[in-house]
Amino acid sequence: MSLVDGLRSPHTPLRHAGVLTPVDAVRLAAVRGRAMAAACAEAPTSMAAVVGGDEARVLERIAELGLHAATFNGPGQIVAAGLTERLQQLAAAPPHGSTVKPLPVAGAFHTPYMESARQAFAAAAAATDFAAPRGALLSNADGEAVTDPEEVRRQLVEQVVRPVRWDLCLETLARLSPGLTVSLPPARTLANILKRRHPELDVLLVNAARDIGKALVRIGESARKEEPAHAGV
């Protein structure tokens, strides 16, 4: 089974991989959420998706405005984050060949603006037991599998202020070639990027409770076809 440290809720894959107990996963998610909400109140920040354009030029323009590349979703989609006024300047004068779409978020996540949240979350993570992952756990820090519990802890804390490299997770999934990749909610955007980038992969979206039964059936079928079976989340 291959699990990806998810963009919006990394604690869910850690629970599925056996790294955290259900209670600890929920508790850390709550600590992280409260700490990030408090960090959002420190400055007027937000995020915006930059779609299209040359990647080097997009990154150059983001840096010119003092913004941060917070998420690399895949080819042709980078999320910029930082001061709201700078994001407005980016939208007014986007890099050649690109469009800028403001995102309805409370702050500049996965950037240095979340440093106070990182510190608060680090204290909570330090007091929590982390176990070795069952199977391959892919980190969205670099897309590679992590096996050491202390490294999982370190990366989980640092990801509060570091960019998300979903693009690198895509490449690792393609390299692993899982028989079935199951994308948990909110599934549509990232799963569609994966399908466009690697159409050879079998991707199943789980967007509602009614999809869980279908996913379990498909996972069982995949397990019977392959030994060992892989399921990417």
Side-chain angles (χ1 to χ4, degrees), residues 79-197:
V79 176
L83 293 173
T84 304
E85 62 179 275
R86 300 293 179 85
L87 289 170
Q88 293 170 346
Q89 294 174 23
L90 178 65
H96 177 73
S98 70
T99 57
V100 176
K101 301 179 180 180
L103 300 178
V105 298
F109 304 122
H110 298 289
T111 73
Y113 286 98
M114 293 290 111
E115 175 57 24
S116 62
R118 186 198 68 79
Q119 294 178 25
F121 184 61
T128 303
D129 290 331
F130 280 62
R134 298 191 299 261
L137 174 69
L138 307 188
S139 169
N140 65 24
D142 56 13
E144 296 301 319
V146 286
T147 58
D148 179 64
E150 290 307 313
E151 180 62 13
V152 174
R153 187 200 312 271
R154 185 191 70 81
Q155 289 201 21
L156 186 65
V157 171
E158 292 304 311
Q159 277 305 92
V160 175
V161 296
R162 288 183 54 183
V164 171
R165 296 306 304 260
W166 176 244
D167 58 334
L168 299 181
C169 290
L170 300 185
E171 301 311 311
T172 301
L173 279 174
R175 189 168 70 246
L176 292 175
S177 298
L180 177 66
T181 298
V182 180
S183 183
L184 298 180
R188 192 169 306 280
T189 298
L190 296 183
N192 286 341
I193 291 173
L194 174 58
K195 289 193 289 185
R196 287 197 301 271
R197 180 64 173 169

